[in-house]
Amino acid sequence: MDFETNTAAVERVQGFQDAIADQSNLHLLEVNQPNPETLEAKLALMDTWIQKYDKIDCVFAYHDPAAMACVQALEAAGKLQGTLVYGVDGNIDAIQAISEGKMTATAKQQPDQLAILSTKNMYRVLNGEEIDGGWLTKVPIIFIDETNAKEFLGE
């Protein structure tokens, strides 16, 4: 599931496609976006895929709300079991779904760490110093699946 007017979403989907490109055992069925960007449209798109394809092994969604919509649609159709669902953001609803075995994984971003690093870099620039690594600042993501989901739920 894609969202073509959001640069981060496009990059996430492209990264996923790049990661699976050389995997001969994987076949990309479709890339599409909900229109408009609403829960109802996300559910409708997943429902369309469920009707269109006999078997869906995996869904990658550009963010966790879209992944959760996919989970909801697959569950309603009785096709969630055996389907891997991945999202991005690490929001609490997705982490809860992962801990319940409904969603497979998410990539948790660390906006607090990005804010800290950005603030430090701002002060470096204001003090006439160079920024480590230039203007492109990367903060590691945390992969959350069933092995560590409970840690992020405070359990």
Side-chain angles (χ1 to χ4, degrees):
M1 194 174 284
D2 196 5
F3 186 32
E4 295 173 0
T5 58
N6 181 306
T7 303
V10 170
E11 290 175 355
R12 292 169 183 174
V13 172
Q14 187 59 56
F16 175 77
Q17 290 175 306
D18 291 348
I20 67 168
D22 63 346
Q23 303 297 317
S24 61
N25 61 330
L26 300 177
H27 177 70
L28 182 62
L29 297 174
E30 188 170 329
V31 176
N32 210 330
Q33 73 174 23
N35 191 11
E37 171 61 15
T38 63
L39 174 61
E40 292 79 13
K42 293 169 188 167
L43 288 167
L45 179 56
M46 190 66 226
D47 283 338
T48 299
W49 289 341
I50 290 168
Q51 297 302 315
K52 188 175 184 179
Y53 301 106
D54 292 332
K55 188 169 194 269
I56 299 172
D57 294 314
C58 178
V59 177
F60 175 79
Y62 58 94
H63 69 171
D64 285 343
M68 294 298 299
C70 293
V71 166
Q72 187 177 344
L74 286 161
E75 194 169 38
K79 295 192 174 194
L80 180 59
Q81 188 170 355
T83 303
L84 306 173
V85 180
Y86 293 89
V88 176
D89 287 332
N91 77 31
I92 196 71
D93 293 332
I95 296 170
Q96 184 65 44
I98 292 166
S99 75
E100 294 170 358
K102 293 181 179 184
M103 194 168 138
T104 308
T106 186
K108 181 176 179 17
Q109 301 179 83
Q110 300 187 77
D112 57 334
Q113 296 303 308
L114 186 55
I116 291 167
L117 187 55
S118 297
T119 302
K120 287 179 181 179
N121 284 343
M122 178 186 66
Y123 280 110
R124 284 188 184 118
V125 170
L126 291 174
N127 290 324
E129 300 171 29
E130 293 290 318
I131 298 173
D132 296 337
W135 288 103
L136 179 61
T137 302
K138 294 185 178 183
V139 174
I141 57 102
I142 300 168
F143 185 74
I144 299 175
D145 64 8
E146 75 282 349
T147 66
N148 62 352
K150 293 198 185 303
E151 294 173 35
F152 297 93
L153 295 173
E155 296 179 11

